[in-house]
Amino acid sequence: MNLDSSFFLSLTTFVYLGAAVIYLFHWIFRVRQVGVVASLAALGGLLLQTAGIGLRWVESYQRGYGHAPLSNLYESLVFFAWVVILVYLVVERRTKNRVIGAFATPFAALAMAYASFSPQVEDAIQPLVPALKSNWLIAHVVTCFLGYAAFAVACGLGIMYLIRYFSDENPAGLVGTLPPLRTLDALMYQTLTFGFVWLSLGIITGAVWANEAWGSYWTWDPKETWSLITWFVYAVALHARFVRGWTGPRIAVLAIVGFAAVIFTYFGVNFLLSGLHSYGAQ
């Protein structure tokens, strides 16, 4: 058995898929011990993935490339899944509510499954393309994906909020096990604010990097344009909450719409629109 990064990251895929299913069982059957197993699976997957990412970084140096594992679609998906689980586990520790895991961990599991099984995703360690040879690579990718991961968790919370909001006044069964609306609203606000700060930093670091690489801070490249559209969606959500007092279902809808914009910025632009960031589809 070859204990390289591929082994650890492949194993992580199945652990996250298992964790998502166990969280779902915990929500359906409401057995505390099942929830504990789900938490241990998510934490174990995070540790496995951390080891896999670290090993891949070392292997990059051993092959003479010497770059952080954040340089292509496969590595960005792996990092996205890692941050989603990290953000979720922080939320779980703060709220002591594992039902949220049934709505948050599938994002990480699907990201790892797509990275591992899609023929469109190349998982080999490759040398950096010229545009990525910059000290801004780590700062830009890490800040952006911290934002994306927070928005994924906020989307899951928004779905939970709407399910609970449109149920009976005193819901029973599965809906009744969801956190109270006030708790979900507060968590949405916190995760959206957290993600917005990091996305803003990601756009700023990207602009500085673009000026260094392409001689201009902003070129209206499709990735830049859609990043700005995504930023505006979340800016509107937070502005409406602060200034107009929006809470509840309207913020939940914006959390879901905003994450749809994130998905298009992340995948849609890479595959449907050509531009300076087209290397992101590789």
Short mmCIF file of all heavy atoms in Angstrom, two decimals, residues 23 28 40 43 74 76 98 130 160 175 188 193 196 199 201 219 259 261 282:
data_model
loop_
_atom_site.label_atom_id
_atom_site.label_comp_id
_atom_site.label_asym_id
_atom_site.label_seq_id
_atom_site.Cartn_x
_atom_site.Cartn_y
_atom_site.Cartn_z
N TYR A 23 -24.81 11.80 9.33
CA TYR A 23 -25.51 12.99 9.83
C TYR A 23 -26.99 12.94 9.43
O TYR A 23 -27.87 13.33 10.21
CB TYR A 23 -24.88 14.27 9.28
CG TYR A 23 -23.72 14.79 10.09
CD1 TYR A 23 -22.44 14.86 9.55
CD2 TYR A 23 -23.90 15.24 11.40
CE1 TYR A 23 -21.36 15.35 10.28
CE2 TYR A 23 -22.84 15.73 12.14
CZ TYR A 23 -21.58 15.79 11.58
OH TYR A 23 -20.52 16.28 12.31
N ILE A 28 -32.73 11.87 10.96
CA ILE A 28 -33.96 11.09 10.76
C ILE A 28 -34.32 10.31 12.02
O ILE A 28 -35.48 10.34 12.47
CB ILE A 28 -33.79 10.14 9.56
CG1 ILE A 28 -33.64 10.94 8.26
CG2 ILE A 28 -34.98 9.18 9.47
CD1 ILE A 28 -33.28 10.10 7.05
N LEU A 40 -17.35 12.30 14.77
CA LEU A 40 -16.03 11.67 14.74
C LEU A 40 -15.60 11.38 13.30
O LEU A 40 -14.41 11.53 12.96
CB LEU A 40 -16.06 10.37 15.56
CG LEU A 40 -16.22 10.56 17.07
CD1 LEU A 40 -16.38 9.19 17.75
CD2 LEU A 40 -15.02 11.30 17.65
N LEU A 43 -14.53 14.73 11.79
CA LEU A 43 -13.23 15.14 12.33
C LEU A 43 -12.11 14.24 11.80
O LEU A 43 -11.03 14.73 11.43
CB LEU A 43 -13.27 15.08 13.86
CG LEU A 43 -11.97 15.47 14.58
CD1 LEU A 43 -11.58 16.90 14.25
CD2 LEU A 43 -12.14 15.30 16.10
N TYR A 74 -8.68 20.45 -9.26
CA TYR A 74 -8.67 19.36 -8.28
C TYR A 74 -8.24 19.87 -6.90
O TYR A 74 -8.90 19.61 -5.89
CB TYR A 74 -7.72 18.25 -8.75
CG TYR A 74 -7.53 17.15 -7.72
CD1 TYR A 74 -8.46 16.14 -7.59
CD2 TYR A 74 -6.40 17.13 -6.89
CE1 TYR A 74 -8.30 15.14 -6.65
CE2 TYR A 74 -6.23 16.14 -5.96
CZ TYR A 74 -7.17 15.15 -5.84
OH TYR A 74 -7.01 14.16 -4.89
N SER A 76 -8.19 22.90 -5.76
CA SER A 76 -9.11 23.88 -5.17
C SER A 76 -10.34 23.20 -4.60
O SER A 76 -10.87 23.61 -3.56
CB SER A 76 -9.50 24.93 -6.21
OG SER A 76 -10.34 24.38 -7.21
N ARG A 98 -26.04 18.84 15.97
CA ARG A 98 -25.45 18.07 14.86
C ARG A 98 -26.40 17.93 13.67
O ARG A 98 -25.97 17.44 12.64
CB ARG A 98 -25.05 16.68 15.37
CG ARG A 98 -23.92 16.71 16.39
CD ARG A 98 -23.42 15.31 16.69
NE ARG A 98 -22.23 15.32 17.51
CZ ARG A 98 -22.23 15.21 18.84
NH1 ARG A 98 -23.38 15.07 19.49
NH2 ARG A 98 -21.11 15.25 19.53
N PRO A 130 2.42 29.91 -15.91
CA PRO A 130 3.11 31.18 -15.62
C PRO A 130 2.30 32.17 -14.80
O PRO A 130 2.83 32.84 -13.91
CB PRO A 130 3.42 31.72 -17.02
CG PRO A 130 3.54 30.50 -17.87
CD PRO A 130 2.53 29.54 -17.33
N MET A 160 -32.36 25.08 5.74
CA MET A 160 -32.99 24.64 7.00
C MET A 160 -34.02 25.68 7.46
O MET A 160 -35.11 25.33 7.92
CB MET A 160 -31.92 24.46 8.07
CG MET A 160 -30.95 23.34 7.78
SD MET A 160 -29.58 23.29 8.96
CE MET A 160 -30.42 22.68 10.42
N VAL A 175 -38.92 18.06 10.99
CA VAL A 175 -38.82 19.53 11.01
C VAL A 175 -38.67 20.04 12.44
O VAL A 175 -37.95 21.00 12.71
CB VAL A 175 -40.04 20.15 10.32
CG1 VAL A 175 -39.97 21.67 10.38
CG2 VAL A 175 -40.13 19.69 8.88
N MET A 188 -26.99 32.24 10.26
CA MET A 188 -26.86 32.72 8.88
C MET A 188 -26.14 34.05 8.84
O MET A 188 -25.25 34.27 8.02
CB MET A 188 -28.26 32.87 8.24
CG MET A 188 -28.84 31.60 7.68
SD MET A 188 -30.27 31.95 6.63
CE MET A 188 -31.40 32.68 7.78
N THR A 193 -21.51 37.05 7.29
CA THR A 193 -20.55 38.12 7.60
C THR A 193 -19.12 37.61 7.51
O THR A 193 -18.24 38.26 6.92
CB THR A 193 -20.82 38.69 9.00
OG1 THR A 193 -22.17 39.16 9.07
CG2 THR A 193 -19.88 39.85 9.32
N PHE A 196 -18.28 37.08 3.88
CA PHE A 196 -18.17 38.34 3.15
C PHE A 196 -16.81 39.00 3.39
O PHE A 196 -16.20 39.54 2.46
CB PHE A 196 -19.30 39.28 3.56
CG PHE A 196 -19.35 40.57 2.81
CD1 PHE A 196 -19.79 40.61 1.49
CD2 PHE A 196 -18.93 41.75 3.39
CE1 PHE A 196 -19.83 41.81 0.79
CE2 PHE A 196 -18.96 42.95 2.70
CZ PHE A 196 -19.41 42.98 1.39
N LEU A 199 -14.28 36.93 1.38
CA LEU A 199 -14.41 37.14 -0.06
C LEU A 199 -13.88 38.52 -0.45
O LEU A 199 -13.23 38.67 -1.49
CB LEU A 199 -15.87 36.99 -0.49
CG LEU A 199 -16.14 37.23 -1.98
CD1 LEU A 199 -15.39 36.22 -2.84
CD2 LEU A 199 -17.63 37.18 -2.30
N LEU A 201 -11.52 40.20 1.04
CA LEU A 201 -10.06 40.11 1.05
C LEU A 201 -9.56 39.33 -0.17
O LEU A 201 -8.51 39.66 -0.75
CB LEU A 201 -9.58 39.43 2.33
CG LEU A 201 -9.75 40.24 3.62
CD1 LEU A 201 -9.42 39.39 4.85
CD2 LEU A 201 -8.84 41.47 3.58
N THR A 219 -9.69 43.93 -15.02
CA THR A 219 -9.81 43.86 -16.47
C THR A 219 -11.21 43.44 -16.94
O THR A 219 -11.40 43.21 -18.11
CB THR A 219 -8.78 42.88 -17.04
OG1 THR A 219 -9.01 41.58 -16.46
CG2 THR A 219 -7.36 43.33 -16.74
N PHE A 259 -25.08 31.64 -2.88
CA PHE A 259 -24.24 30.46 -3.10
C PHE A 259 -24.37 29.95 -4.53
O PHE A 259 -23.41 29.40 -5.08
CB PHE A 259 -24.57 29.35 -2.11
CG PHE A 259 -23.57 28.23 -2.13
CD1 PHE A 259 -22.25 28.46 -1.78
CD2 PHE A 259 -23.93 26.95 -2.54
CE1 PHE A 259 -21.30 27.45 -1.83
CE2 PHE A 259 -23.00 25.93 -2.59
CZ PHE A 259 -21.68 26.18 -2.23
N ALA A 261 -24.56 31.94 -7.00
CA ALA A 261 -23.60 32.82 -7.69
C ALA A 261 -22.17 32.35 -7.45
O ALA A 261 -21.32 32.41 -8.35
CB ALA A 261 -23.77 34.26 -7.21
N GLN A 282 -8.70 23.42 -15.50
CA GLN A 282 -7.81 22.27 -15.70
C GLN A 282 -7.63 21.50 -14.42
O GLN A 282 -7.78 22.03 -13.34
CB GLN A 282 -6.45 22.76 -16.21
CG GLN A 282 -6.55 23.49 -17.55
CD GLN A 282 -5.26 24.14 -17.97
OE1 GLN A 282 -4.28 24.12 -17.22
NE2 GLN A 282 -5.24 24.72 -19.15
#
